[in-house]
């Protein structure tokens, strides 16, 4: 029994599909009633304006009903039953739309048709108050070469404007008012123009109120959206602050980190190395040189000149090694405030010179070509000490 009841209910429901019921305010009954004069054709879509409506049947035909002041005949201004739009016969319409006082339809090949009131250019016809029958709208992309006809998927109509969604998911607009979303102040716009504000976005649907518009846009991929941190990575302070006042709230994003830019690991190592005294290695080398000098000063004055020459040669090697280190290390050594004992150096130079003169006078010999006078060593050492920060006046 239950199965029989269910099948009979489904059969009755199938007969009821696509039927049109209307109801109105005022003196009309508020109970939904069948549309007067409508036959048995199945309706797939309906759209309503202020005083008129449009029906789309399953075979792709379009019917209009209600008050139709744009129609030419006096009888057709307010027909008693829906009338067929003959201009669309032979075309298979897939969707319809209505504004306050105008209508639109889109065929299966992507062509948009408009008719009705056109005082604001909402039917994309210039210098004509009414468009009595469906008129094809020419939409072409001027950026393409050669010009390509734009195929339309959907229409949305307001009171004085119309929006069209193309197959490439772009919006085209015409009519009057800022609700068009166009970069222009010259109205009416009777030639469809692309809404550039949404260029590059995927528009899924458009909708119109009387004097406003809406576009449903696909969200950007999640990987393209970068999360905004709440706190600074360096000082952990809030990047966006809110301050409550008596009658308003101040929201500020003008965060200035007191720690500045964080150093990378390599920069931190270089910073730590430069934070040390730049003359530490130079001082160690100078200590080594003058320790050798003081040891030589403690030795017997009778040490042979060859030993002194070897010691000076060692000093020359140290000097050449310091020259290889570069001018940066030498210039930093000049700024060292601590120097070896100047008196000890002068004493060593004096003894060295006296020893050389006394040795020459005892043996009555002149210096051999392979031997170098002691004055040369004094000048040599003075030059080295001058490079380490001593002035010649200090050594005199």
């Amino acid at each position: 029994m239950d199965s029989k009841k269910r099948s009979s209910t489904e059969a009755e429901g199938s007969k009821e599909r696509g039927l049109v019921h209307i109801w109105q305010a005022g003196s009309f009954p508020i109970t939904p009633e069948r549309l007067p004069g409508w036959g048995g054709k199945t309706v797939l879509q309906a759209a309503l304006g202020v005083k008129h409506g449009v029906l789309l049947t399953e075979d792709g035909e379009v019917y209009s009903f209600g008050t139709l002041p744009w129609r030419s005949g006096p009888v057709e201004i307010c027909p008693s039953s829906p009338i067929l739009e003959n201009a669309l016969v032979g075309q298979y319409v897939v969707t319809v739309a209505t504004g306050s006082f105008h209508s639109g339809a889109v065929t299966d090949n992507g062509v948009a048709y408009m008719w009705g009131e056109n005082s604001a250019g909402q039917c994309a016809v210039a210098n004509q108050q009414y468009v009595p029958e469906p008129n094809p709208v020419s939409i072409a992309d001027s950026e393409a070469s050669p010009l390509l006809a734009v195929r339309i998927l959907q229409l949305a109509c307001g009171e004085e404007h119309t929006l069209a969604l193309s197959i490439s998911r772009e919006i085209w607009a015409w009519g009057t008012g800022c609700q068009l979303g166009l970069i222009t102040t010259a109205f009416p716009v009777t030639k469809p123009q692309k809404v550039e504000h949404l260029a590059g976005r995927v528009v899924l649907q458009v909708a119109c109120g009387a004097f406003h518009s809406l576009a449903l846009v696909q969200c950007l991929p999640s990987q393209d959206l970068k999360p905004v941190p709440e706190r600074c990575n360096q000082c952990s302070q809030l990047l966006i602050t809110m301050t409550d006042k008596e009658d308003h709230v101040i929201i500020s994003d003008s965060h200035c980190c007191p720690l500045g830019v964080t150093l990378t690991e390599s920069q931190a190592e270089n910073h730590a190395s430069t934070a040390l005294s730049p003359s530490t290695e130079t001082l160690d080398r100078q200590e080594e040189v003058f320790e050798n000098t003081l040891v030589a000063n403690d030795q017997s004055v009778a040490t042979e000149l060859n030993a002194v020459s070897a010691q000076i040669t060692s000093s020359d090697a140290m000097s050449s090694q310091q020259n290889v280190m570069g001018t940066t290390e030498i210039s930093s050594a000049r700024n060292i405030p601590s120097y070896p004992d100047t008196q000890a150096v002068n004493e060593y130079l004096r003894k060295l010179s006296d020893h050389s003169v006394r040795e020459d006078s005892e043996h009555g010999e002149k210096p051999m070509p392979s031997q170098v006078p002691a004055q040369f060593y004094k000048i040599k050492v003075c030059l080295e000490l001058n490079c380490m920060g001593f002035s010649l006046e200090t050594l005199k």
Side-chain angles (χ1 to χ4, degrees):
M1 293 294 293
D2 294 338
S3 61
K4 291 182 179 180
K5 289 182 179 179
R6 188 180 305 108
S7 61
S8 62
T9 303
E10 290 177 355
E12 292 177 358
S14 63
K15 295 179 181 179
E16 294 291 329
R17 290 177 183 174
L19 298 180
V20 181
H21 291 73
I22 62 170
W23 61 98
Q24 303 180 32
S27 60
F28 297 94
I30 61 173
T31 303
E33 296 180 350
R34 294 282 184 91
L35 180 65
W38 181 246
K41 289 189 176 182
T42 302
V43 177
L44 298 181
Q45 184 185 2
L48 295 178
V50 174
K51 294 182 178 181
H52 79 289
V54 173
L55 302 176
L56 173 63
T57 63
E58 62 180 352
D59 54 3
E61 293 180 338
V62 177
Y63 290 80
S64 297
F65 65 94
T67 303
L68 311 175
W70 49 86
R71 304 290 294 192
S72 58
V75 178
E76 294 181 343
I77 292 178
C78 190
S80 58
S81 62
I83 60 174
L84 176 65
E85 296 292 349
N86 293 316
L88 294 174
V89 173
Q91 302 287 343
Y92 187 84
V93 178
V94 294
T95 183
V96 292
T98 56
S100 297
F101 303 100
H102 69 292
S103 305
V106 179
T107 62
D108 57 349
N109 55 5
V111 178
Y113 287 80
M114 303 298 302
W115 69 98
E117 185 175 325
N118 187 54
S119 58
Q122 58 265 54
C123 290
V125 178
N127 303 320
Q128 189 173 332
Q129 185 176 1
Y130 294 112
V131 178
E133 294 183 349
N135 180 67
V137 179
S138 176
I139 305 176
D141 191 354
S142 60
E143 297 178 357
S145 180
L147 293 179
L148 296 177
V150 177
R151 297 181 62 185
I152 301 302
L153 289 177
Q154 181 206 347
L155 286 175
C157 303
E159 184 162 329
E160 296 183 344
H161 73 294
T162 303
L163 300 182
L165 177 62
S166 70
I167 197 172
S168 57
R169 300 295 175 176
E170 296 175 325
I171 301 177
W172 296 78
W174 58 90
T176 299
C178 60
Q179 61 268 29
L180 295 177
L182 302 177
I183 310 174
T184 183
T185 56
F187 300 114
V189 176
T190 57
K191 181 180 179 181
Q193 296 184 20
K194 185 189 300 184
V195 178
E196 297 293 347
H197 291 289
L198 293 175
R201 302 298 298 272
V202 178
V203 181
L204 303 178
Q205 183 184 352
V206 290
C208 292
F211 298 100
H212 61 295
S213 305
L214 178 144
L216 183 62
V217 181
Q218 186 178 30
C219 294
L220 294 175
S222 58
Q223 58 268 20
D224 294 342
L225 300 176
K226 297 181 180 179
V228 179
E230 294 183 358
R231 296 181 177 272
C232 178
N233 294 330
Q234 302 172 31
C235 64
S236 299
Q237 295 183 9
L238 291 173
L239 296 178
I240 300 178
T241 58
M242 298 178 60
T243 305
D244 292 332
K245 297 295 183 180
E246 295 180 358
D247 56 347
H248 63 281
V249 177
I250 300 176
I251 301 176
S252 174
D253 61 350
S254 58
H255 170 69
C256 182
C257 181
L259 300 181
V261 180
T262 305
L263 294 177
T264 61
E265 185 176 354
S266 60
Q267 289 175 331
E269 292 178 358
N270 295 336
H271 181 71
S273 62
T274 55
L276 298 175
S277 175
S279 59
T280 305
E281 297 181 359
T282 308
L283 284 173
D284 292 341
R285 291 191 180 91
Q286 288 182 356
E287 264 184 39
E288 183 178 352
V289 172
F290 287 101
E291 280 178 4
N292 295 336
T293 304
L294 293 177
V295 169
N297 189 31
D298 292 339
Q299 292 178 352
S300 174
V301 181
T303 305
E304 295 182 355
L305 188 60
N306 290 334
V308 177
S309 176
Q311 191 172 13
I312 298 301
T313 305
S314 174
S315 177
D316 290 343
M318 277 294 188
S319 176
S320 62
Q321 183 178 2
Q322 290 176 349
N323 289 335
V324 172
M325 295 301 292
T327 59
T328 304
E329 192 173 4
I330 293 175
S331 61
S332 62
R334 291 178 179 175
N335 297 327
I336 301 172
S338 302
Y339 300 107
D341 189 0
T342 306
Q343 185 177 358
V345 175
N346 289 334
E347 182 67 20
Y348 165 72
L349 294 176
R350 185 185 61 79
K351 290 182 179 180
L352 183 64
S353 178
D354 293 343
H355 170 73
S356 176
V357 173
R358 185 171 58 255
E359 203 173 47
D360 291 343
S361 62
E362 288 179 358
H363 297 284
E365 298 177 355
K366 294 182 179 180
M368 298 296 294
S370 60
Q371 296 176 338
V372 182
Q375 289 82 355
F376 173 80
Y377 293 110
K378 181 175 180 180
I379 295 172
K380 182 71 174 178
V381 172
C382 290
L383 292 175
E384 290 180 8
L385 294 176
N386 186 37
C387 291
M388 294 179 185
F390 289 97
S391 62
L392 293 177
E393 289 77 3
T394 305
L395 299 175
K396 290 180 181 180

